[in-house]
Amino acid sequence: MSVDHVEELEGRGEGEAVTMAASALRSYAVAPGVRLNVRSGPGTGYALVRVLPEGARVTIFCQRPGTTVAGPYGTTNIWDNIDDGEYVSDAYVQTGSDGYVRPRCS
């Protein structure tokens, strides 16, 4: 997944755009002592893609609703997109919020 996006700025020539680095993106800690399952979609019914090791940190690109999961950081149906086709339950990611911290995935 690309971490850059293009935004048209007022006063610029037609078609001229500025690429903005994803400096607003940050990494979040996975719950201590947890090896976190990464799924191909926002739910436990999706295929297991890989397992993150203990102490992992993730960058959240967008979030979407899915299967409700109970974890160390509460019970939620929010799933975090951490790469193309890779999702983890927000119940295991320390975002500091019970709600969305990134835009919804399209």
Side-chain angles (χ1 to χ4, degrees):
M1 170 168 285
S2 173
V3 295
D4 293 337
H5 72 274
V6 177
E7 180 177 292
E8 195 74 30
L9 294 179
E10 187 176 343
R12 297 281 182 169
E14 186 176 337
E16 186 177 340
V18 175
T19 301
M20 299 179 65
S23 60
L25 293 177
R26 57 176 279 211
S27 66
Y28 298 90
V30 171
V34 171
R35 295 182 65 229
L36 187 57
N37 289 336
V38 178
R39 302 277 180 180
S40 62
T44 55
Y46 287 87
L48 182 65
V49 175
R50 62 186 171 120
V51 177
L52 297 177
E54 290 183 29
R57 295 185 68 84
V58 295
T59 299
I60 301 171
F61 294 99
C62 60
Q63 296 174 298
R64 69 184 327 157
T67 306
T68 299
V69 173
Y73 300 116
T75 300
T76 184
N77 72 336
I78 298 174
W79 285 74
D80 305 330
N81 175 254
I82 62 168
D83 205 345
D84 274 342
E86 294 190 356
Y87 292 84
V88 296
S89 172
D90 197 62
Y92 288 88
V93 180
Q94 187 175 21
T95 62
S97 173
D98 289 337
Y100 288 84
V101 297
R102 298 292 298 152
R104 287 205 184 198
C105 303
S106 53

